[in-house]
Amino acid sequence: MIDFNNYITWDQLLSEINTGNSLDKLVISGTHTHHYGLKRESKQLPISINEQEFNFFIRFIRENNLICGYELGTGFGISTLAIGIGMQYTKGIVYTLDSYVEGEYQYQPVGNMSDKITPVYPQDMKFAIETIKRFGVRDYVVFLKGNSPEYTLNTFDSYQPKLDFIFLDCPKVAQDLSRDIHGFKPYLSDRYALFIHDTHDYPEEAKRIVRDELDIELKFDILKQKFPLASATKNI
């Protein structure tokens, strides 16, 4: 079993996940470096967070004792695994939401894709759950299937979480980012960290939206990589 107290390479993770997995194999999406994410061998999309981000999420959650996470964009569960491992250490929980449109339709969804129908139990969701179980963190992850922000608001109205870790891996355009923030904004803790993928095409607009909606400043240099992981914190 992998020791997640140390830095984890993709080679280590792939060896563990691909051994005995009946659903699919994972491969690195590009040149074999920590700058590339993983993908399922049978599909081009989605592509996961990269090796550096995977390790950063685990460490950040642990070091800041974060206990209630929200992930938008489960995919096949690699970022979910990292967040779940962090939450296992702090005895917390992460709610992870996806419509699973990207995995089923194999293109980058832009705008509101709620008209696209996916199976009740998509393959990416099955893969994610199997992976989470394999690493013993199933008790720290709640899987949700639906669209943001409508499903987020309806679900959290029942759970009433106090979110202190948010990872958005879905907003490809500014309009999506604004909608997604509206979904979780009522449930934020007094201290939290926000991380966003895929804002490199609209960085200034993303900064404005986050400032206007949450009154915090979005930064793009936290990990010094080509496609930055945007981040903002409050009281952390």
Side-chain angles (χ1 to χ4, degrees):
M1 180 61 71
I2 294 175
D3 180 4
F4 287 104
N5 291 310
N6 299 316
Y7 185 93
I8 305 305
T9 68
W10 274 166
D11 280 346
Q12 290 174 291
L13 198 67
L14 287 173
S15 177
E16 184 72 27
I17 291 176
N18 288 340
T19 300
N21 193 315
S22 60
L23 294 175
D24 203 353
K25 302 296 183 185
L26 293 187
V27 295
I28 296 171
S29 64
T31 305
H32 193 167
T33 75
H34 66 276
H35 295 295
Y36 287 84
L38 303 178
K39 72 178 192 68
R40 289 176 54 191
E41 190 173 45
S42 63
K43 294 190 173 185
Q44 293 303 310
L45 297 172
I47 296 173
S48 78
I49 59 174
N50 64 36
E51 181 185 294
Q52 187 179 13
E53 293 163 340
F54 182 90
N55 284 276
F56 172 77
F57 280 171
I58 296 173
R59 186 177 72 252
F60 188 90
I61 291 169
R62 289 179 172 184
E63 290 178 353
N64 292 284
N65 195 35
L66 304 179
I67 59 172
C68 190
Y70 170 54
E71 175 187 40
L72 179 55
T74 314
F76 51 87
I78 299 304
S79 51
T80 314
L81 175 61
I83 300 168
I85 291 167
M87 292 296 170
Q88 181 185 42
Y89 183 87
T90 63
K91 306 304 180 188
I93 193 107
V94 57
Y95 302 91
T96 181
L97 173 68
D98 205 315
S99 66
Y100 298 96
V101 167
E102 190 175 51
E104 294 297 319
Y105 288 90
Q106 289 299 283
Y107 66 92
Q108 296 284 357
V110 175
N112 184 6
M113 300 298 293
S114 59
D115 60 324
K116 298 296 183 183
I117 305 301
T118 59
V120 174
Y121 198 21
Q123 283 295 313
D124 279 349
M125 188 178 189
K126 292 179 182 178
F127 193 99
I129 292 173
E130 181 175 301
T131 300
I132 295 303
K133 287 180 177 179
R134 178 182 291 258
F135 289 96
V137 294
R138 183 66 180 90
D139 290 344
Y140 306 93
V141 180
V142 176
F143 286 90
L144 306 170
K145 180 178 179 290
N147 293 291
S148 169
E150 299 84 3
Y151 190 89
T152 312
L153 287 165
N154 291 338
T155 302
F156 284 172
D157 189 51
S158 299
Y159 285 107
Q160 289 293 313
K162 291 294 184 182
L163 303 173
D164 56 17
F165 179 93
I166 303 96
F167 175 47
L168 307 180
D169 197 15
C170 281
K172 312 300 183 190
V173 295
Q175 180 184 0
D176 290 347
L177 176 58
S178 182
R179 285 168 49 84
D180 293 338
I181 289 175
H182 288 164
F184 66 79
K185 183 178 178 180
Y187 305 100
L188 288 170
S189 173
D190 292 335
R191 62 186 293 269
Y192 63 87
L194 169 67
F195 299 96
I196 315 173
H197 251 188
D198 302 322
T199 59
H200 49 272
D201 288 334
Y202 59 101
E204 292 307 313
E205 202 165 1
K207 288 176 69 174
R208 178 190 60 78
I209 290 169
V210 170
R211 185 186 305 117
D212 290 349
E213 295 288 348
L214 301 175
D215 196 27
I216 53 178
E217 290 298 318
L218 199 63
K219 300 178 181 179
F220 298 89
D221 59 354
I222 191 167
L223 292 180
K224 311 292 185 185
Q225 49 190 18
K226 181 179 179 181
F227 297 111
L229 176 67
S231 66
T233 62
K234 180 178 181 180
N235 298 327
I236 290 181

